[in-house]
């Protein structure tokens, strides 16, 4: 009797043991996608995974390569190679190294700094392994190039930095026809910068020039490097309600949002950092030791007052192009509007989630109209 009982117990435990073993032997992470985003000073490689994994990094000098040994991953094929068109790398290869181990090699054109990190699942994004390959020489050159602008600009010229929201891993809001916010705002941004550069009194620059992600704090840093007199972040709105339409303008609030909808919108825009995979280099966090708090508060107050003046002007002009969602500007805690010394506003041009607005946003003439309106308001804002 006792023996039989033991036998049943041991069979039971054997069964439990087998079922515990199953997930480890049968499952394991799979790579479902590999994406690449090229920025002027770095390339980002993103690997989608079905499960979290462990990895080890190493690099090789000659030829320059970055290696990652991925553990707990199977490839289901001996080797995969992808030729890529990119300023910094030529090829991505994946090789199976025995059981549950895969070697990832990034074939570089020259020596680069590498930074690998994991992003946890968020919204519809899975576990992601992100590798940034950074050209530090180019990065420094870009910063110097930006810092030079305020010194070489003609006297009296105002510098405007236009920030096309989202980019790269972060598509922003998506329309019923799959139009992505990140693409529309870049197109309008390019048109606007072109117009601003034709004026005698303004010179304009974009925070991003292509489809790659820049953390929100970095966008402010870029604007400050240019010595911007005005910062305008471009967006298209999104809603679960497909009927929602219209344009709206937002400014920063340091003491809570003007209303719940503005707070929700700011929270949504601020998640850009999570979706896009913000990895802030230490410089973005560093406080400028030359700035004292009283001076900073004074600057912030003045910038905010100027932002409100710009927003009011823009609302007046925008209503001739599109219906307004609100007749006055709204305020909330938008990270991207936090430059203490630069008047900043965020424009939601229209609702990409509304069929009619999506159709308009895709039209070249509507993009032109928005850009022309913004250009006219900016000129008016700086005065004659
Ligand atoms: Zn947005």
């Amino acid at each position: 009797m006792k023996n039989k009982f033991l036998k049943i117990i041991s069979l039971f435990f054997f069964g439990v043991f087998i079922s515990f073993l199953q997930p480890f032997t049968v499952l394991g992470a799979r790579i479902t996608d590999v994406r690449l985003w090229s920025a002027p000073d770095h390339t980002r490689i993103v690997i989608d995974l079905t499960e979290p994994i462990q990895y080890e990094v190493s690099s090789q000098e000659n030829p320059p390569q970055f290696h990652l040994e991925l553990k707990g991953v199977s490839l289901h094929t001996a080797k995969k190679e992808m030729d890529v068109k990119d300023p910094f790398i030529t090829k991505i290869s994946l090789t199976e190294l025995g059981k549950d181990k895969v070697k990832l090699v990034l074939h570089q054109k020259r020596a680069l700094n590498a930074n690998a990190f994991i992003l946890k699942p968020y919204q519809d994004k899975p576990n992601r392994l992100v590798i940034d390959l950074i050209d530090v020489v180019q990065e420094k050159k870009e910063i110097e190039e930006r810092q030079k602008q305020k010194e070489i600009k003609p006297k009296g010229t105002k510098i405007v930095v236009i920030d096309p929201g989202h980019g790269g891993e972060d598509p922003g809001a998506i329309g019923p026809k799959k139009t992505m916010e990140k693409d529309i705002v870049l197109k309008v941004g390019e048109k606007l910068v072109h117009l601003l550069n034709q004026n005698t009194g303004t010179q304009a620059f974009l925070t991003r020039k292509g489809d790659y992600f820049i953390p929100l704090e970095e966008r402010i840093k870029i604007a400050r490097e240019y010595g911007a007199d005005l910062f305008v972040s471009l967006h298209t709105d999104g809603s679960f309600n497909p009927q929602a339409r219209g344009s709206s303008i937002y400014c920063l609030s340091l003491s809570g949002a003007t209303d719940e909808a503005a707070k929700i919108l700011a929270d949504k825009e601020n998640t850009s950092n999570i979706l896009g995979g913000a990895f802030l280099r230490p410089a973005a966090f560093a406080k400028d030791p030359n700035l004292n708090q009283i001076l900073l508060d004074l600057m912030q107050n003045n910038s905010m007052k100027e932002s409100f003046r710009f927003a009011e002007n823009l609302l007046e002009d925008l209503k001739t192009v599109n219906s307004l969602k609100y007749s006055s500007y709204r305020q909330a805690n938008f990270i991207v509007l936090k430059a203490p010394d630069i008047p900043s506003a965020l424009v939601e041009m229209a609702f990409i989630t509304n069929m009619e607005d999506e159709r308009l946003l895709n039209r070249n003439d509507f993009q032109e109209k928005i850009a022309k309106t913004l250009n006219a308001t900016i000129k008016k804002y700086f005065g004659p």
Side-chain angles (χ1 to χ4, degrees):
M1 182 69 190
K2 203 181 168 193
N3 264 351
K4 204 176 172 193
F5 180 67
L6 268 177
K7 209 172 169 187
I8 290 168
I9 286 287
S10 56
L11 269 176
F12 171 73
F13 277 111
F14 187 64
V16 170
F17 178 62
I18 289 287
S19 56
F20 266 120
L21 208 65
Q22 286 281 9
F24 298 106
T25 51
V26 178
L27 293 173
R30 267 183 309 113
I31 294 171
T32 52
D33 198 9
V34 178
R35 288 181 298 280
L36 181 118
W37 310 104
S38 314
D41 59 356
H42 73 272
T43 286
R44 167 166 286 192
I45 296 101
V46 181
I47 294 161
D48 283 351
L49 297 152
T50 54
E51 318 259 332
I53 58 152
Q54 303 280 320
Y55 62 91
E56 255 170 45
V57 300
S58 58
S59 53
Q60 179 185 299
E61 260 176 45
N62 201 11
Q65 289 179 350
F66 185 64
H67 296 183
L68 278 113
E69 205 176 291
L70 316 177
K71 294 165 186 169
V73 190
S74 42
L75 201 58
H76 303 296
T77 167
K79 198 171 171 105
K80 251 186 203 167
E81 280 198 336
M82 286 158 271
D83 287 320
V84 291
K85 248 181 94 182
D86 178 80
F88 303 119
I89 63 169
T90 55
K91 199 163 58 176
I92 300 172
S93 61
L94 290 154
T95 315
E96 198 148 65
L97 291 182
K99 207 161 169 265
D100 287 347
K101 238 188 224 179
V102 171
K103 186 170 187 173
L104 169 74
V105 179
L106 304 174
H107 303 256
Q108 300 166 193
K109 289 183 184 171
R110 55 179 172 276
L112 300 164
N113 276 20
N115 181 32
F117 57 100
I118 291 274
L119 291 173
K120 288 185 189 144
Y122 187 77
Q123 293 181 1
D124 58 344
K125 301 273 187 187
N127 286 285
R128 289 173 288 169
L129 170 64
V130 181
I131 307 117
D132 283 339
L133 292 174
I134 307 149
D135 183 337
V136 280
V137 178
Q138 184 61 27
E139 187 182 44
K140 200 166 159 247
K141 223 162 84 185
E142 296 265 323
I143 295 172
E144 284 167 357
E145 206 41 46
R146 290 196 281 266
Q147 286 170 335
K148 214 168 67 187
Q149 297 306 322
K150 54 182 175 250
E151 281 142 38
I152 60 170
K153 70 174 183 183
K155 207 169 176 278
T157 301
K158 300 291 184 186
I159 290 183
V160 186
V161 170
I162 303 299
D163 172 47
H166 313 278
E169 281 293 280
D170 172 20
I174 298 175
K177 293 237 159 70
K178 303 285 170 254
T179 309
M180 292 187 210
E181 177 180 359
K182 65 174 182 179
D183 297 330
I184 300 295
V185 293
L186 182 60
K187 282 185 188 155
V188 176
E190 283 167 348
K191 287 178 165 53
L192 176 56
V193 163
H194 178 73
L195 290 173
L196 285 163
N197 284 338
Q198 285 179 330
N199 306 334
T200 44
T202 52
Q203 225 165 44
F205 303 95
L206 289 166
T207 51
R208 73 170 169 98
K209 298 170 197 128
D211 191 8
Y212 51 90
F213 182 73
I214 305 175
L216 299 171
E217 294 82 351
E218 279 276 330
R219 295 171 195 246
I220 298 175
K221 188 174 160 271
I222 290 172
R224 297 195 69 219
E225 282 162 0
Y226 276 121
D229 297 291
L230 180 68
F231 177 86
V232 182
S233 192
L234 300 178
H235 294 259
T236 66
D237 223 330
S239 172
F240 288 115
N241 171 11
Q243 306 304 321
R245 286 193 69 178
S247 311
S248 49
I249 316 286
Y250 295 86
C251 293
L252 177 67
S253 164
L254 296 172
S255 56
T258 40
D259 55 286
E260 190 55 23
K263 186 191 175 298
I264 291 170
L265 181 75
D267 288 347
K268 200 167 68 184
E269 294 296 2
N270 292 344
T271 59
S272 186
N273 267 351
I274 306 171
L275 285 167
F279 183 86
L280 294 180
R281 320 239 166 97
F285 285 121
K287 271 195 175 169
D288 189 338
N290 299 317
L291 286 176
N292 82 35
Q293 195 56 46
I294 298 168
L295 200 65
L296 215 61
D297 291 347
L298 277 174
M299 280 197 301
Q300 182 85 73
N301 271 336
N302 185 55
S303 297
M304 284 173 70
K305 238 191 277 165
E306 283 296 291
S307 310
F308 303 156
R309 183 168 73 81
F310 173 73
E312 275 164 3
N313 279 335
L314 185 56
L315 280 162
E316 272 306 302
D317 295 341
L318 257 187
K319 68 180 175 200
T320 62
V321 187
N322 197 19
S323 60
L324 296 182
K325 188 178 162 202
Y326 306 113
S327 57
S328 58
Y329 63 83
R330 293 289 196 261
Q331 285 176 262
N333 188 25
F334 293 90
I335 296 173
V336 81
L337 301 181
K338 280 188 166 175
D341 47 352
I342 309 169
S344 304
L346 186 143
V347 184
E348 298 282 354
M349 301 187 284
F351 272 84
I352 206 165
T353 44
N354 172 274
M355 254 270 263
E356 180 56 16
D357 272 5
E358 183 189 30
R359 192 184 64 82
L360 282 174
L361 286 165
N362 269 309
R363 284 179 62 144
N364 190 55
D365 57 348
F366 186 77
Q367 295 171 5
E368 287 279 353
K369 255 197 228 171
I370 297 263
K372 274 187 187 155
T373 307
L374 276 157
N375 179 47
T377 312
I378 292 168
K379 276 200 324 198
K380 225 184 319 178
Y381 167 78
F382 286 123

